[in-house]
Amino acid sequence: MRVSAKADYAIRATVELAAAGEGPTKGERIAQAQSIPPNFLENIFTDLRNAGLVASRRGAEGGYWLARPAEEISLADVIRAVDGPLANVRGVRSEQVEYEGSAAPLRDVWVAVRASLRRVLENVTLADLAAGELPAAVRELAADPDAWAPH
């Protein structure tokens, strides 16, 4: 899986909001805390607002906050908000890809890849990251030495 800069920044920014708790947090503070280019962050927040994940208010008392509790926002939600589907093949959803002949089973591989991504990304929430407590299944996967080996 290739994680775009936009998805990486969006997750980091929303985790900052989760850690900040209630009330607005200035975009400049989030950009500085996570070393995110401020203009890029503004575009990301637009996508997150459109997806209903973040709310905002302008002005001296303004800023950004999570539109739903951090426990209810998964990493998959954030990625989909800024990048679209978690896994696709040439811009087509995995289940819609069609192959001929001996490559026909490849569609099932792409569907399985998407299911594997969902198993992790839909089960880790912003609250998990903000608290530094990942679900046991994710900790177990990350503890496997083979997971750290570049292949």
Side-chain angles (χ1 to χ4, degrees), residues 53-110:
L53 299 180
V54 168
S56 65
R57 178 175 57 229
R58 293 181 185 262
E61 300 297 317
Y64 298 92
W65 62 92
L66 296 177
R68 299 190 331 237
E71 302 80 31
E72 295 178 13
I73 302 175
S74 71
L75 300 189
D77 294 329
V78 177
I79 293 169
R80 287 182 187 117
V82 298
D83 279 349
L86 292 178
N88 64 60
V89 180
R90 299 179 324 272
V92 176
R93 292 184 179 272
S94 303
E95 73 276 7
Q96 295 173 335
V97 175
E98 293 185 29
Y99 297 103
E100 302 289 327
S102 59
L106 187 54
R107 179 183 65 178
D108 291 348
V109 172
W110 299 140

Side-chain angles (χ1 to χ4, degrees), residues 24-63:
T25 302
K26 296 285 186 196
E28 300 86 37
R29 190 186 88 53
I30 295 167
Q32 184 176 13
Q34 289 297 321
S35 300
I36 300 171
N39 291 338
F40 196 19
L41 183 60
E42 290 299 322
N43 292 332
I44 290 167
F45 275 137
T46 297
D47 290 341
L48 294 170
R49 255 194 332 267
N50 290 339
L53 299 180
V54 168
S56 65
R57 178 175 57 229
R58 293 181 185 262
E61 300 297 317

